[in-house]
Amino acid sequence: MGIRCCTPNEIVIVATENKGETTKWKKLKKRKQQENLRKKVNAAIRIQAWWRGNLVRRTLLHAGLRAWVIQCWWRQTSAQQLEKKRRAALMKYAIRERAVTKLQSLVRMWRVHWRYCQVLNAIYIIQCHWQCHNCQTCAFLRGHCVVTATHLQFHIEIIN
């Protein structure tokens, strides 16, 4: 730079440039800008990660709730089907037991009726023979009957 004469009202600024200091200052300024940019990028990355985490957690929560609803429905349906099977098995068992009881009752009734018919036939035979004999001796018959669960017993006495 050149030197020039100044008037008293003028201010003269003399600037000297040092090429080394200017480059250091520019490098420092550039480094600070890069650091600020890196900080902003890191903050943006953190915010994006937080937001994506919220979205993933929300999606997982909705998926979990849907799975829970399906599981509840399936458990209820399975319980209803099991209850239907239990009722059907109980009804089948009750019907079979009633049929067995009825059959046993009919067999017992038939056996008692058959024995009753045998005894009745025997009484008819005795009466027929006695009526023929009664005219000759004029005796009386006295009978006594005992009924048990498996037997019919008749005791007949001839009284003169």
Side-chain angles (χ1 to χ4, degrees), residues 77-89:
T77 304
S78 296
Q80 287 173 350
Q81 288 177 347
L82 184 63
E83 186 63 28
K84 282 182 184 177
K85 286 180 183 178
R86 284 181 184 162
R87 281 182 188 257

Side-chain angles (χ1 to χ4, degrees), residues 9-154:
N9 291 337
E10 289 184 59
I11 298 176
V12 176
I13 298 177
V14 178
T16 60
E17 283 189 31
N18 187 352
K19 294 264 183 189
E21 285 182 19
T22 306
T23 8
K24 281 183 183 177
W25 186 76
K26 284 183 181 178
K27 284 181 182 178
L28 185 63
K29 189 176 180 182
K30 192 173 184 180
R31 196 179 302 145
K32 283 186 179 182
Q33 285 177 349
Q34 286 176 347
E35 263 184 52
N36 285 340
L37 182 64
R38 196 174 323 130
K39 285 180 182 179
K40 288 179 183 178
V41 167
N42 285 341
I45 289 172
R46 283 191 202 122
I47 291 171
Q48 288 174 349
W50 172 80
W51 180 248
R52 286 185 188 131
N54 280 342
L55 290 178
V56 168
R57 281 188 289 278
R58 188 184 309 163
T59 304
L60 289 175
L61 177 66
H62 286 295
L65 288 175
R66 289 182 186 123
W68 181 69
V69 167
I70 291 170
Q71 287 171 352
C72 288
W73 171 81
W74 180 250
R75 286 185 194 117
Q76 182 182 11
T77 304
S78 296
Q80 287 173 350
Q81 288 177 347
L82 184 63
E83 186 63 28
K84 282 182 184 177
K85 286 180 183 178
R86 284 181 184 162
R87 281 182 188 257
L90 182 61
M91 292 299 290
K92 187 177 178 180
Y93 174 77
I95 289 171
R96 189 178 335 127
E97 287 297 312
R98 278 191 214 121
V100 167
T101 306
K102 185 72 169 177
L103 187 60
Q104 287 173 347
S105 170
L106 289 174
V107 167
R108 287 186 191 119
M109 183 186 72
W110 176 78
R111 287 178 62 198
V112 169
H113 180 71
W114 182 72
R115 287 179 192 233
Y116 174 75
C117 288
Q118 281 183 330
V119 170
L120 197 59
N121 284 337
I123 289 173
Y124 288 150
I125 292 171
I126 292 171
Q127 281 179 347
C128 283
H129 288 290
W130 185 252
Q131 283 174 358
C132 295
H133 183 69
N134 193 14
C135 294
Q136 297 166 3
T137 61
C138 294
F140 292 104
L141 287 177
R142 183 175 12 171
H144 178 68
C145 176
V146 176
V147 179
T148 62
T150 57
H151 294 35
L152 280 174
Q153 294 178 351
F154 284 98

